[in-house]
Amino acid sequence: MNEVYDPYKNAVSVMKKAMLAGSIDDRYFEILAHPQRETKVYLPVEMDDGSIKVFEGYRVQHSNIRGPFKGGIRYHENVTLNEVRALAIWMSLKCAIANIPYGGAKGGIKVDPAKLSENELRRLTRRYTFAIAPIIGPDTDIPAPDVNTNGQTMAWILDTYSQLIGKPCFGVVTGKPVELCGSKGRNSATGRGVYISTRLLLENEGKSLDGIRVAIQGMGNVGSNAARIFYHRHVKVIAVSDVSGGLISEDGLDIEDISRYLETRGHLLKDYNHPGVSHITNEELLLCDCDVLIPAAMENQITGEIASKVRCSHIVEAANGPTSAEADAILEQRKIPLIPDIFANSGGVIVSYFEWVQNIQELTWERDQVNEMLENLMKKSFDELLAVKEECGCTFRMAAYIDALRKLVYTEKVKGLFP
Ligand code: NAD
């Protein structure tokens, strides 16, 4: 059956199922299925050739009942309001699972950043910040990097916001360069969390990472940092890919060499050549024979068709929403354990929280301290997920949704509806 993928419908339908499976008061579904506020902005930018282009941007603020809105900003030509809505919901759930005092939000601009010069990107980012400035701030809504945005983007947002309010305001974004009060360990935090999730999943089955073969789709911030951490712990990463295609080697890829190549030459993986390494398509990567498949690129990569053919024995979702609802049902039927995005990629927002705490208190923590605190927090929330999974006899995804929704509904109830 050919499914039309809508990330928002997907998120809301899983939420509905989880309310039932977790015996949660489903009157609150109506509240949580809708964002609190959606902002759409049109951003005029003068291009390098003197022409003017208008870009469409969004900021969706799903929930702030557990703390300020929190969520990344994505630059991608396929950004839609429904995608940003889903991403904002997942942020609320993720922060609840991790027990950090944030709500959920997400932003996006419909743009292919590869087609813009650095100066055009800077002007676009400043214009977007100016447009959403009335609704963001260090105690209201704190953006961070996501697909095609990074520490540089956060530095531009920080500066624009600080200029507007007339004083430096480091806590308005996280994922900033360390030199601009970013946190040590933030850049690699999402990838580190993916590694921790994989280890916890295997340990729960009484296994270790010894002899495990990993395949990773996406070699951006999340995928490349996860790949590096596995590689340095002597775990074989047999396949990786990016938007241009993938690489495979049964002996394990030299991830440092590939990362250096991507960083210094700025080329796509399709141009990388090394003895013993073969080129594959993204579909071949998803279907390769491995122990852990890690989608770390975009939504809807593991479709129903792919799910019925995958040859991995475990899946750890580093990207947000990489598995469709149809695929999820097939994987459950095939008994392939899957750690869902809202737990597996929570390392990013957890260390963003640490960065924000350091900014507020004007402190600087060492990398080892940050990494250790991340590890402890994820271990604690994994134990909570295991307890819910056992109680409800469900998948990890369902347990994660139930855990998060229970916390959100509790907060809604204890505060009472307003007015
Ligand atoms: P990024 O822009 O740094 O990298 C994205 C990677 O995916 C690139 O290698 C790109 O070439 C590849 N890619 C894009 N389209 C693809 C396709 N169709 N097939 C295969 N590869 C493709 O982005 P990122 O920050 O690494 O984010 C990746 C995923 O992780 C996203 O779903 C994002 O929402 C999620 N995430 C990111 C963070 C973070 O801290 N950056 C935190 C939580 C979740």
Side-chain angles (χ1 to χ4, degrees):
M1 194 177 72
N2 229 347
E3 50 191 331
V4 179
Y5 178 76
D6 178 333
Y8 176 59
K9 271 197 195 152
N10 199 1
V12 167
S13 76
V14 183
M15 208 191 261
K16 182 111 198 154
K17 265 196 220 158
M19 291 230 147
L20 189 67
S23 312
I24 301 169
D25 185 345
D26 67 1
R27 292 176 307 144
Y28 289 86
F29 172 77
E30 274 304 307
I31 299 180
L32 295 171
H34 295 97
Q36 287 179 17
R37 176 160 56 187
E38 295 176 349
T39 305
K40 183 174 180 182
V41 291
Y42 291 96
L43 311 163
V45 176
E46 185 172 6
M47 309 305 282
D48 291 345
D49 65 4
S51 64
I52 293 174
K53 274 200 181 144
V54 176
F55 296 89
E56 200 171 300
Y58 306 98
R59 184 76 184 166
V60 174
Q61 295 170 318
H62 173 252
S63 168
N64 66 354
I65 50 167
R66 297 187 70 261
F69 297 111
K70 181 87 188 86
I73 291 172
R74 170 176 294 198
Y75 290 177
H76 199 280
E77 58 200 330
N78 298 336
V79 161
T80 62
L81 182 56
N82 267 8
E83 178 188 56
V84 184
R85 278 180 180 148
L87 290 162
I89 290 177
W90 290 327
M91 284 307 296
S92 298
L93 302 178
K94 203 176 294 185
C95 294
I97 293 167
N99 298 303
I100 54 176
Y102 282 143
K106 204 80 182 191
I109 302 180
K110 209 185 250 298
V111 58
D112 177 359
K115 293 195 176 134
L116 266 59
S117 70
E118 169 125 352
N119 278 334
E120 289 167 341
L121 270 178
R122 179 172 42 79
R123 290 196 287 272
L124 174 64
T125 304
R126 288 197 186 278
R127 188 71 206 204
Y128 176 66
T129 311
F130 186 80
I132 63 168
I135 56 159
I136 63 168
D139 45 17
T140 47
D141 183 356
I142 306 125
D146 191 69
V147 173
N148 290 326
T149 57
N150 53 27
Q152 172 63 83
T153 324
M154 295 307 112
W156 290 329
I157 296 177
L158 161 61
D159 183 59
T160 310
Y161 187 82
S162 298
Q163 300 283 349
L164 268 169
I165 66 162
K167 59 182 177 186
C169 182
F170 294 107
V172 68
V173 282
T174 57
K176 309 176 280 289
V178 172
E179 296 73 11
L180 271 180
C181 295
S183 177
K184 289 175 184 152
R186 171 59 184 92
N187 193 44
S188 54
T190 313
R192 184 172 298 279
V194 170
Y195 161 78
I196 295 169
S197 304
T198 308
R199 212 193 59 218
L200 291 170
L201 170 65
L202 294 170
E203 279 173 10
N204 184 51
E205 295 177 0
K207 299 177 185 149
S208 77
L209 284 167
D210 287 350
I212 290 291
R213 292 143 61 250
V214 175
I216 303 179
Q217 184 199 38
M219 273 294 271
N221 172 288
V222 180
S224 69
N225 277 300
R228 264 186 165 139
I229 296 170
F230 282 116
Y231 178 76
H232 287 293
R233 279 165 179 69
H234 309 292
V235 176
K236 262 190 199 172
V237 180
I238 60 157
V240 296
S241 71
D242 67 10
V243 69
S244 72
L247 308 170
I248 194 162
S249 164
E250 272 308 319
D251 296 332
L253 296 162
D254 182 342
I255 296 298
E256 273 309 318
D257 191 57
I258 294 172
S259 301
R260 251 193 323 272
Y261 170 84
L262 287 173
E263 271 164 26
T264 55
R265 312 255 304 268
H267 288 167
L268 294 166
L269 288 175
K270 71 175 169 46
D271 300 321
Y272 178 87
N273 285 305
H274 201 271
V277 175
S278 314
H279 286 263
I280 51 172
T281 63
N282 260 295
E283 180 163 331
E284 285 167 336
L285 178 137
L286 294 172
L287 299 180
C288 79
D289 179 5
C290 63
D291 299 295
V292 185
L293 173 64
I294 302 183
M298 301 295 291
E299 293 97 27
N300 198 30
Q301 296 301 302
I302 305 180
T303 57
E305 197 188 333
I306 296 281
S308 57
K309 295 195 281 192
V310 287
R311 289 190 290 156
C312 57
S313 47
H314 302 80
I315 296 178
V316 176
E317 290 185 333
N320 283 307
T323 309
S324 73
E326 186 193 352
D328 217 29
I330 294 170
L331 295 171
E332 185 179 355
Q333 207 181 13
R334 291 189 59 196
K335 297 194 172 15
I336 298 177
L338 177 153
I339 297 291
D341 46 8
I342 52 177
F343 178 81
N345 68 31
S346 62
V349 73
I350 292 172
V351 177
S352 274
Y353 167 60
F354 298 158
E355 179 173 327
W356 182 70
V357 171
Q358 290 170 78
N359 293 158
I360 291 169
Q361 302 191 12
E362 299 181 350
L363 292 172
T364 307
W365 298 344
E366 288 311 316
R367 184 180 305 273
D368 287 352
Q369 182 184 354
V370 169
N371 290 346
E372 193 185 324
M373 285 166 64
L374 169 65
E375 173 103 30
N376 291 341
L377 221 146
M378 286 192 75
K379 171 87 180 71
K380 184 174 169 286
S381 39
F382 189 73
D383 288 344
E384 288 179 8
L385 290 198
L386 285 178
V388 175
K389 187 172 183 302
E390 194 164 314
E391 174 204 330
C392 301
C394 60
T395 62
F396 278 107
R397 187 185 312 283
M398 208 35 72
Y401 270 72
I402 292 171
D403 181 52
L405 290 169
R406 282 181 178 168
K407 289 170 183 168
L408 284 159
V409 167
Y410 172 79
T411 318
E412 286 284 3
K413 277 190 170 172
V414 79
K415 280 187 173 180
L417 282 189
F418 181 84

